[in-house]
């Protein structure tokens, strides 16, 4: 079971990632249309989610399969 300090590190990591992502989005927003910046954020998250799903115990195919009919 994770300790309280592990949870704190995860929270600080998440805050840092969101802050950096926001800063990069604002910087890119000066040079590119907002729709393009949002698309980049979406695809970056999609790649991250697929990597996490692929690393799961059952693999990507089992992660995509629904348990309900």
């Amino acid at each position: 079971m994770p300790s309280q300090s592990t949870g704190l590190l995860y929270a600080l990591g998440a805050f840092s990632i969101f802050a950096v992502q926001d800063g990069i989005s604002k910087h890119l927003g000066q040079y590119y249309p907002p729709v393009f910046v949002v698309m980049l954020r979406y695809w970056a998250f999609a790649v991250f989610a697929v990597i996490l799903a692929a690393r799961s115990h059952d693999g990507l195919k089992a992660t995509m399969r629904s348990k309900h009919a």
Side-chain angles (χ1 to χ4, degrees):
M1 180 165 208
S3 66
Q4 188 172 6
S5 60
T6 303
L8 179 62
L9 288 175
Y10 282 135
L12 289 174
F15 296 149
S16 299
I17 289 170
F18 286 131
V20 169
Q21 183 182 26
D22 186 52
I24 290 171
S25 295
K26 287 181 180 181
H27 176 73
L28 290 175
Q30 296 174 355
Y31 303 103
Y32 298 104
V35 172
F36 181 72
V37 175
V38 170
M39 182 189 69
L40 285 177
R41 288 180 67 167
Y42 169 78
W43 283 110
F45 177 74
V47 168
F48 176 72
V50 167
I51 290 171
L52 281 180
R55 291 184 61 202
S56 72
H57 177 60
D58 296 328
L60 185 60
K61 192 172 185 176
T63 303
M64 292 174 31
R65 192 175 319 123
S66 174
K67 293 180 178 150
H68 302 286

